């Protein structure tokens, strides 16, 4: 049994982009961290620097299969997150979202662990209200190419609430908006990583559609702080709660900013817009401010510079 301050924490998807930063932060606070990952999109390199820490343990495991370990808290992040990856094997994506969540909830029920779900702004689909509040039920195409992810996460939220109501499992649900920073995958097709890599290589910057669609980008360090504050929030607070940076920018403006910050000579080119691509996305974070005393502090320019520096090193 751990003492009051030191917890045994399971992080599913701990070798991924967000998960690896979370492992690092929770270890730095002195906790024992068990990272469970099947390395579908995650990489050993993301956590290699943590392996010498005696409080860190890593297990290669696919969470669509059951897992029996003893823990105090579970951050449930495992799921491919970028359209390129989650659409590569849509059936595996929905199995991870649904079967994976059932297994982690079964584990939480048996061990009485508190469990946090990394849900997503995608539950709002192509939103008809703007900015999005947690009370909005969303506008999702259930049979489109994004559905394996969007509906998978919506079902995961349903499962969390059913285990909470039926089995008294202690749950926390974060609806994460677009997050960026060091250790993003270079080839997962996300807009920030694509644009930075294209700019650094002097290749054309590929804007899908006319670039008028908007997103709101949150820097990874702010996101990690929000997730930990949510896990430690008042017992009766389950969420769902939006975590993201409300600063909204069009994709065209983002492209121009990245060209400027990298000093690149890349040209902008326009490509077809993917099906079901949401037109606008901006979190309303009133609830997170109230309940978690959380808000992001990193300015887009500052976060982009750190991310550019990372990609310069790995390219
Ligand atoms: P990521 O792809 O880097 O990380 C996901 C991790 O889960 C990877 O390490 C992958 O190998 C692992 N994984 C996938 N399927 C698994 C399975 N069946 N069993 C075990 N491990 C498995 O993605 P990320 O950006 O770090 O996202 C982490 C979580 O946050 C995801 O649940 C994602 O849906 C959510 N999220 C991310 C963003 C974002 O902008 N990055 C936005 C909204 C929500
Ligand atoms: N489960 C798990 N680890 C545990 C407990 C349960 O992986 O420590 C899995 C188990 O395989 C089951 C699922 O979680 O399929 C749901 O568990 P629950 O107790 O809700 O269902 P039951 O076992 O009653 O079917
Ligand atoms: N996008 C783009 N060029 C790229 C990659 C993405 O214009 O090279 C667009 C994409 O169509 C979407 C936005 O940027 O409108 C954000 O895409 P991303 O895949 O990063 O996240 P999501 O669509 O899941 O918010």
């Amino acid at each position: 049994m751990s003492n009051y301050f030191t917890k045994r924490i399971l992080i599913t998807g701990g070798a991924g982009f967000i998960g690896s930063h979370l492992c690092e932060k929770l270890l730095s606070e002195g906790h024992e961290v068990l990272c469970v990952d099947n390395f579908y999109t995650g990489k050993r390199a993301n956590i290699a620097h943590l392996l010498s820490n005696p409080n860190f343990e890593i297990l290669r495991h696919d969470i669509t299969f059951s897992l029996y370990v003893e823990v105090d808290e579970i951050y449930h992040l495992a799921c491919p997150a970028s359209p390129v990856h989650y659409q590569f094997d849509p059936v595996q994506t929905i199995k991870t979202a649904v079967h994976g969540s059932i297994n982690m909830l079964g584990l939480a029920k048996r061990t009485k662990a508190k469990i946090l779900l990394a849900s997503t702004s995608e539950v709002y689909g192509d939103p008809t209200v703007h900015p999005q509040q947690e009370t909005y039920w969303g506008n999702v195409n259930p049979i489109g190419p994004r559905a394996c992810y969007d509906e998978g996460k919506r079902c995961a939220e349903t499962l969390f609430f059913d285990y909470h109501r039926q089995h008294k499992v202690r749950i926390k649900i974060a609806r994460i908006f677009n997050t960026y920073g060091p250790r993003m995958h270079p080839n997962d097709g996300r807009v920030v990583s694509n644009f930075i890599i294209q700019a650094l290589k002097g290749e054309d910057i590929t804007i899908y559609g006319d670039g008028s669609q908007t997103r709101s980008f949150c820097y990874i360090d702010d996101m990690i702080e929000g997730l930990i504050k949510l896990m430690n929030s008042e017992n009766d607070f389950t969420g769902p709660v939006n975590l993201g940076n409300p600063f909204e920018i069009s994709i065209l403006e983002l492209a121009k900013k990245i060209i400027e910050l990298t000093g690149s000579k890349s040209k902008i080119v326009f490509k077809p817009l993917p099906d079901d691509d949401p037109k606008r996305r901006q979190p309303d974070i009133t609830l997170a401010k109230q309940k978690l005393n959380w808000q992001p502090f990193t300015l887009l320019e500052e976060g982009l510079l750190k991310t550019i520096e990372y990609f310069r090193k790995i390219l």
Side-chain angles (χ1 to χ4, degrees), residues 34-292:
L34 169 59
C35 163
V36 168
D37 203 297
N38 67 350
F39 298 107
Y40 185 64
T41 54
K43 284 190 302 218
R44 281 176 187 286
N46 287 342
I47 43 165
H49 61 298
L50 304 175
L51 291 172
S52 59
N53 188 322
N55 286 331
F56 187 60
E57 210 180 338
I58 171 136
L59 178 66
R60 177 192 280 268
H61 175 79
D62 180 336
I63 53 139
T64 61
F65 299 98
S66 51
L67 174 70
Y68 288 81
V69 290
E70 308 308 312
V71 290
D72 304 310
E73 284 180 357
I74 306 168
Y75 286 85
H76 177 35
L77 273 59
C79 188
S82 76
V84 171
H85 284 141
Y86 70 66
Q87 290 173 23
F88 174 74
D89 185 348
V91 172
Q92 173 66 12
T93 300
I94 201 153
K95 278 185 186 168
T96 294
V98 177
H99 294 187
S101 291
I102 291 175
N103 286 331
M104 292 310 103
L105 285 161
L107 174 60
K109 179 182 136 193
R110 182 181 59 79
T111 59
K112 300 196 166 42
K114 199 174 358 171
I115 180 166
L116 179 149
L117 173 67
S119 184
T120 169
S121 54
E122 297 280 331
V123 299
Y124 301 124
D126 190 0
T128 54
V129 303
H130 196 79
Q132 291 81 54
Q133 289 185 331
E134 291 83 354
T135 46
Y136 176 52
W137 289 355
N139 176 36
V140 175
N141 173 1
I143 56 169
R146 295 176 85 104
C148 59
Y149 183 70
D150 303 4
E151 297 289 18
K153 289 285 186 178
R154 287 169 68 95
C155 182
E157 288 197 10
T158 307
L159 283 163
F160 268 64
F161 268 87
D162 285 335
Y163 269 81
H164 175 62
R165 284 185 289 247
Q166 196 174 329
H167 297 303
K168 307 284 172 273
V169 171
R170 295 177 294 155
I171 61 159
K172 307 277 178 188
I173 298 180
R175 289 188 179 150
I176 300 175
F177 283 64
N178 298 60
T179 302
Y180 72 100
R183 296 192 211 130
M184 288 183 93
H185 305 256
N187 56 358
D188 74 351
R190 304 305 287 252
V191 68
V192 172
S193 43
N194 269 14
F195 285 3
I196 291 179
I197 291 167
Q198 290 163 344
L200 291 177
K201 289 186 168 170
E203 294 169 354
D204 290 345
I205 307 270
T206 53
I207 289 189
Y208 304 157
D210 61 7
S212 63
Q213 73 270 33
T214 68
R215 293 291 187 274
S216 309
F217 298 98
C218 185
Y219 188 63
I220 183 69
D221 292 358
D222 289 327
M223 182 57 60
I224 296 301
E225 199 201 321
L227 291 170
I228 293 174
K229 281 192 162 178
L230 173 59
M231 181 62 101
N232 297 325
S233 60
E234 285 170 20
N235 283 341
D236 62 348
F237 183 65
T238 56
V241 60
N242 290 337
L243 294 181
N245 192 319
F247 177 74
E248 186 184 5
I249 185 171
S250 76
I251 296 303
L252 180 61
E253 285 306 313
L254 177 74
K256 289 181 182 162
K257 196 167 259 310
I258 289 176
I259 290 176
E260 180 198 316
L261 294 177
T262 50
S264 172
K265 298 206 164 45
S266 291
K267 290 193 304 293
I268 289 176
V269 297
F270 295 89
K271 301 254 173 159
L273 189 68
D275 283 348
D276 295 341
D277 199 271
K279 296 195 191 40
R280 300 185 74 182
R281 194 182 288 141
Q282 182 192 30
D284 181 324
I285 59 163
T286 312
L287 187 66
K289 281 183 183 163
Q290 258 173 23
K291 292 287 187 180
L292 312 178

